[in-house]
Amino acid sequence: MESLDLPLIWAGMICFSVFAYVVLDGFDLGVGILSPVLAPGQERDQAINSIAPFWDGNETWLVMGGGGLLAVFPLAYAIILPATYPLMIAMLLGLVFRGAAFEFRWRDPAHQPLWDLVITVGSTVAALAQGITIGAILQGIEVENNAYAGGWLDWLSPFSVLTGIAVVIGYALLGATWLIRKTEGGCQRHAHRLAYRFGIATVAALIAVSLATPFLNHEYWRRWFEMPQVLLTAQVPLLVVLCTGVFFWSLRKGHELLPFLMALALFLLGFVGLCISIFPHMIPPSITLWEAAAPRDSQLFLLVGAVFIIPVILAYTGWAYWVFRGKVGTEGYH
Amino acid sequence: MFEHLDAVFLARVQFAFTVSFHFIFPAFSIGLASYLMVLEGLWLKTGRGVYANLYRYWLKIFAVGFGMGVVSGIVLSYQFGTNWSEFSHKAGPVIGPLMGYEVITAFFLEAGFLGVMLFGINKVGKRLHFFATCMVALGTVVSAFWILSVNSWMQTPTGFEINDQGQFIVGDSWWDVIFNPSFPYRLVHTVTAAYLTTAFAVGGVGAWHLLRDRNNIGARKMFSMAMWMAVIVTPVQIFVGDLHGLNTLEHQPAKVLAMEGDFDPSPDGAPLILFGIPDEDAATVHYKVAIPKLGSLILKHDPNAPLPGLTDFPREDWPPVAVVFWSFRVMVAIGFAMLALGGWSLIARRRKRLYASRALHRAAVCMGPAGFVAVIAGWVTTEVGRQPFTVYGLMRTVESASPLDAPAVAASLIAFIVVYTAVFGMGIYYLLRLMGHPPSPGESEPDKVPFHAAGITPASSLAPASSGQGGNAHGKS
């Protein structure tokens, strides 16, 4: 027990939480982002019905991530949140708005167009804020004496705006491929066209971010391009090329599940790339994950509960997706 | 006023606003979850349809309220970091894991049992469904356990050490952190408050429908159950509140003195100030109406026991006296109004006029929201009374805030107020509309909303009326 590198284990768990959130909430935010281009009425109802059973369960991973960060990396929590203050507030408000709009959409049919607009705006704002936050962390945060030392707009830069837009596009791709899987008829054909376009846009965004990242600071350059680890890091772009190929092939062949899986794989590769860039830091350029970690006692105490409960939650989530498998239809799950 | 509008003050206002808004919903959920458990238990035991109908009626309302609690809770889980980063960094190692357990508990509950509860009894069978209801009720209380442990630790910190970074870290055992001196009192007082809040809300809804139709079986049943709760639980709550006050006097004397308005020490027995205008600058209460010796009698159980005054403490350690003084009086006044209504209902019941006395019903409707006002007043009392500290006696509020500029905090505060008013205004309107429908024997019309798999904001998942729910309501599924 003494030999366990708890901060590393917890960093892995937080990464898992964040990635689970991105994977799960990504597609339903994506459907929200896409909703204005879907025809009102049947097409849009189908799309929003397809995420209705899942969106709120997906969102809980965000609470897990935040709660976990406070408990085991309090320093990171205390620096990142003030550093990205307006983004965090915007994201939270976007999610609150969107969650409420989901509920009222069906209960208040008279104002459905308004609620749909709220869903779109809330989803887009939340996605954009998350993407810009990733960029802000990558480009580094100014820290003095274990506290954030910058202004309240330091996060804003061309690079962070780029990552913000990239995440919005990527979520839209996840949303489109999800719709291919879950809908039929006109809605599916429309989703198919959207997936093709957003597939191209996502790959372009991924390339742009990947090209820009090593120029942010020399550390990243070294981590990616020095021998011998270049042999390892080079696998990431190679896999991206492979997944992209499979993605477009499966779209053309009319597969229903494979495009969604490939879109997830692209996200996973982007996420791995992000981790390669940052590791071993928690907050580039100055604070490593061991420096940000809470004392051992705190980490161990929460680990006991997490190890027991997270598998249960995963099992339940899987079961829920199983129950609601198959096509959605226009009526939704009643 | 405006010289106080710095970033810290604005952050405090923001926290007060978001936490008060949030707390309305859990207070209701904790009580309602237990009420649903009782209803379903009674239905399974007696097979009487009225319980099944009431269960379905309140389940719809529970689902919406629970959902709004979670949505507003997400905001709070990030607010510590955005507005109180120094506090998060310093106290995170102690309170973080406890809050982590709260999240895990709530998550576990949503992901599992609430979904089952809302899938409907036809899909999972009676036993599993009742078990799910019990687990949801238990889960809400467990969630309250963790979050109140955190709050109590901030009020009466024990079991910690301070490391070289100035962080609070756990000392010998987590047990000492979790079960800190004020925790048992606060937990019982708060959960009881949640039960009372729900009882009066249910009673108010029942009375509302009785005023329209005296013979509505569902309305009669819920009104009767709520009034029994009022009769039995209100005196218990007043008693628990008194014990909690004594505990606070022991650990946070300045808070109690602010509640009482005792600026000057009373060496031979303190009065009880009923009314007055506290004036912090002059350190006195103007126009006061007081009962001699009663303050000491309540707080020390001896009319002549000496009590200190706020002037015994350094000025910079005083909480804002006026706020605490008034919020405490609001809470106590509502407590006694609840006691009065309970007594009235008991007399009406004895005279067989419980369902006939329109005056009683009108009073009960007026008292419907009373619990919510009381819990918020209670929170204001305890939280503002903790000032000027976040961790009592150890970490000041001014040292806890994030390094933010006032305009940033002001902008986010305005955004929160606008969004919350719009979103939760709609939500509360919808809840009131649900409550405005009378409970009916065919309480099974589903809203035209899809199911949720993990019910944070689940739709009422009642099967269509045509599917034999009516038969189900009479205990044969």
PDB file of all heavy atoms in Angstrom, chain A residues 62-76:
ATOM      1  N   LEU A  62     -19.286  15.340 -14.919  1.00  0.00           N
ATOM      2  CA  LEU A  62     -18.679  16.657 -14.745  1.00  0.00           C
ATOM      3  C   LEU A  62     -18.567  16.993 -13.253  1.00  0.00           C
ATOM      4  O   LEU A  62     -17.570  17.553 -12.800  1.00  0.00           O
ATOM      5  CB  LEU A  62     -19.530  17.713 -15.460  1.00  0.00           C
ATOM      6  CG  LEU A  62     -18.979  19.123 -15.514  1.00  0.00           C
ATOM      7  CD1 LEU A  62     -17.728  19.173 -16.366  1.00  0.00           C
ATOM      8  CD2 LEU A  62     -20.006  20.071 -16.091  1.00  0.00           C
ATOM      9  N   VAL A  63     -19.597  16.628 -12.517  1.00  0.00           N
ATOM     10  CA  VAL A  63     -19.566  16.851 -11.064  1.00  0.00           C
ATOM     11  C   VAL A  63     -18.493  15.974 -10.442  1.00  0.00           C
ATOM     12  O   VAL A  63     -17.754  16.398  -9.550  1.00  0.00           O
ATOM     13  CB  VAL A  63     -20.935  16.538 -10.436  1.00  0.00           C
ATOM     14  CG1 VAL A  63     -20.954  16.933  -8.978  1.00  0.00           C
ATOM     15  CG2 VAL A  63     -22.023  17.272 -11.188  1.00  0.00           C
ATOM     16  N   MET A  64     -18.389  14.734 -10.933  1.00  0.00           N
ATOM     17  CA  MET A  64     -17.355  13.829 -10.440  1.00  0.00           C
ATOM     18  C   MET A  64     -15.977  14.440 -10.657  1.00  0.00           C
ATOM     19  O   MET A  64     -15.143  14.441  -9.761  1.00  0.00           O
ATOM     20  CB  MET A  64     -17.408  12.495 -11.205  1.00  0.00           C
ATOM     21  CG  MET A  64     -18.542  11.608 -10.814  1.00  0.00           C
ATOM     22  SD  MET A  64     -18.236  10.804  -9.243  1.00  0.00           S
ATOM     23  CE  MET A  64     -18.041   9.133  -9.804  1.00  0.00           C
ATOM     24  N   GLY A  65     -15.762  14.956 -11.867  1.00  0.00           N
ATOM     25  CA  GLY A  65     -14.473  15.554 -12.185  1.00  0.00           C
ATOM     26  C   GLY A  65     -14.164  16.719 -11.254  1.00  0.00           C
ATOM     27  O   GLY A  65     -13.071  16.808 -10.678  1.00  0.00           O
ATOM     28  N   GLY A  66     -15.129  17.615 -11.074  1.00  0.00           N
ATOM     29  CA  GLY A  66     -14.926  18.782 -10.218  1.00  0.00           C
ATOM     30  C   GLY A  66     -14.721  18.383  -8.767  1.00  0.00           C
ATOM     31  O   GLY A  66     -13.790  18.847  -8.101  1.00  0.00           O
ATOM     32  N   GLY A  67     -15.579  17.495  -8.282  1.00  0.00           N
ATOM     33  CA  GLY A  67     -15.473  17.039  -6.893  1.00  0.00           C
ATOM     34  C   GLY A  67     -14.159  16.318  -6.649  1.00  0.00           C
ATOM     35  O   GLY A  67     -13.495  16.521  -5.630  1.00  0.00           O
ATOM     36  N   GLY A  68     -13.768  15.482  -7.603  1.00  0.00           N
ATOM     37  CA  GLY A  68     -12.512  14.734  -7.473  1.00  0.00           C
ATOM     38  C   GLY A  68     -11.318  15.661  -7.436  1.00  0.00           C
ATOM     39  O   GLY A  68     -10.399  15.500  -6.634  1.00  0.00           O
ATOM     40  N   LEU A  69     -11.362  16.669  -8.310  1.00  0.00           N
ATOM     41  CA  LEU A  69     -10.249  17.607  -8.380  1.00  0.00           C
ATOM     42  C   LEU A  69     -10.082  18.355  -7.049  1.00  0.00           C
ATOM     43  O   LEU A  69      -8.975  18.502  -6.546  1.00  0.00           O
ATOM     44  CB  LEU A  69     -10.501  18.605  -9.518  1.00  0.00           C
ATOM     45  CG  LEU A  69      -9.285  19.270 -10.140  1.00  0.00           C
ATOM     46  CD1 LEU A  69      -8.351  18.232 -10.732  1.00  0.00           C
ATOM     47  CD2 LEU A  69      -9.711  20.241 -11.233  1.00  0.00           C
ATOM     48  N   LEU A  70     -11.182  18.799  -6.473  1.00  0.00           N
ATOM     49  CA  LEU A  70     -11.111  19.506  -5.189  1.00  0.00           C
ATOM     50  C   LEU A  70     -10.538  18.595  -4.101  1.00  0.00           C
ATOM     51  O   LEU A  70      -9.740  19.010  -3.267  1.00  0.00           O
ATOM     52  CB  LEU A  70     -12.494  20.011  -4.773  1.00  0.00           C
ATOM     53  CG  LEU A  70     -12.630  20.520  -3.325  1.00  0.00           C
ATOM     54  CD1 LEU A  70     -11.725  21.712  -3.075  1.00  0.00           C
ATOM     55  CD2 LEU A  70     -14.061  20.912  -3.001  1.00  0.00           C
ATOM     56  N   ALA A  71     -10.948  17.336  -4.126  1.00  0.00           N
ATOM     57  CA  ALA A  71     -10.549  16.428  -3.055  1.00  0.00           C
ATOM     58  C   ALA A  71      -9.097  16.003  -3.164  1.00  0.00           C
ATOM     59  O   ALA A  71      -8.393  15.946  -2.163  1.00  0.00           O
ATOM     60  CB  ALA A  71     -11.448  15.201  -3.054  1.00  0.00           C
ATOM     61  N   VAL A  72      -8.638  15.694  -4.376  1.00  0.00           N
ATOM     62  CA  VAL A  72      -7.297  15.099  -4.473  1.00  0.00           C
ATOM     63  C   VAL A  72      -6.248  16.012  -5.112  1.00  0.00           C
ATOM     64  O   VAL A  72      -5.058  15.791  -4.926  1.00  0.00           O
ATOM     65  CB  VAL A  72      -7.333  13.740  -5.203  1.00  0.00           C
ATOM     66  CG1 VAL A  72      -8.002  12.700  -4.350  1.00  0.00           C
ATOM     67  CG2 VAL A  72      -8.010  13.840  -6.534  1.00  0.00           C
ATOM     68  N   PHE A  73      -6.681  17.012  -5.848  1.00  0.00           N
ATOM     69  CA  PHE A  73      -5.726  18.003  -6.358  1.00  0.00           C
ATOM     70  C   PHE A  73      -6.212  19.413  -6.034  1.00  0.00           C
ATOM     71  O   PHE A  73      -6.484  20.209  -6.934  1.00  0.00           O
ATOM     72  CB  PHE A  73      -5.550  17.852  -7.870  1.00  0.00           C
ATOM     73  CG  PHE A  73      -4.962  16.534  -8.284  1.00  0.00           C
ATOM     74  CD1 PHE A  73      -5.752  15.559  -8.885  1.00  0.00           C
ATOM     75  CD2 PHE A  73      -3.617  16.254  -8.061  1.00  0.00           C
ATOM     76  CE1 PHE A  73      -5.204  14.339  -9.250  1.00  0.00           C
ATOM     77  CE2 PHE A  73      -3.070  15.029  -8.431  1.00  0.00           C
ATOM     78  CZ  PHE A  73      -3.870  14.066  -9.023  1.00  0.00           C
ATOM     79  N   PRO A  74      -6.358  19.723  -4.743  1.00  0.00           N
ATOM     80  CA  PRO A  74      -6.974  21.012  -4.386  1.00  0.00           C
ATOM     81  C   PRO A  74      -6.233  22.208  -4.991  1.00  0.00           C
ATOM     82  O   PRO A  74      -6.844  23.202  -5.348  1.00  0.00           O
ATOM     83  CB  PRO A  74      -6.912  21.041  -2.857  1.00  0.00           C
ATOM     84  CG  PRO A  74      -5.953  19.977  -2.468  1.00  0.00           C
ATOM     85  CD  PRO A  74      -5.955  18.963  -3.559  1.00  0.00           C
ATOM     86  N   LEU A  75      -4.911  22.072  -5.134  1.00  0.00           N
ATOM     87  CA  LEU A  75      -4.151  23.198  -5.668  1.00  0.00           C
ATOM     88  C   LEU A  75      -4.519  23.447  -7.130  1.00  0.00           C
ATOM     89  O   LEU A  75      -4.693  24.596  -7.558  1.00  0.00           O
ATOM     90  CB  LEU A  75      -2.648  22.932  -5.527  1.00  0.00           C
ATOM     91  CG  LEU A  75      -1.734  24.064  -5.958  1.00  0.00           C
ATOM     92  CD1 LEU A  75      -2.022  25.329  -5.168  1.00  0.00           C
ATOM     93  CD2 LEU A  75      -0.264  23.686  -5.787  1.00  0.00           C
ATOM     94  N   ALA A  76      -4.647  22.371  -7.893  1.00  0.00           N
ATOM     95  CA  ALA A  76      -5.022  22.522  -9.303  1.00  0.00           C
ATOM     96  C   ALA A  76      -6.413  23.141  -9.419  1.00  0.00           C
ATOM     97  O   ALA A  76      -6.652  24.042 -10.231  1.00  0.00           O
ATOM     98  CB  ALA A  76      -4.993  21.162  -9.986  1.00  0.00           C
TER      99      ALA A  76
END
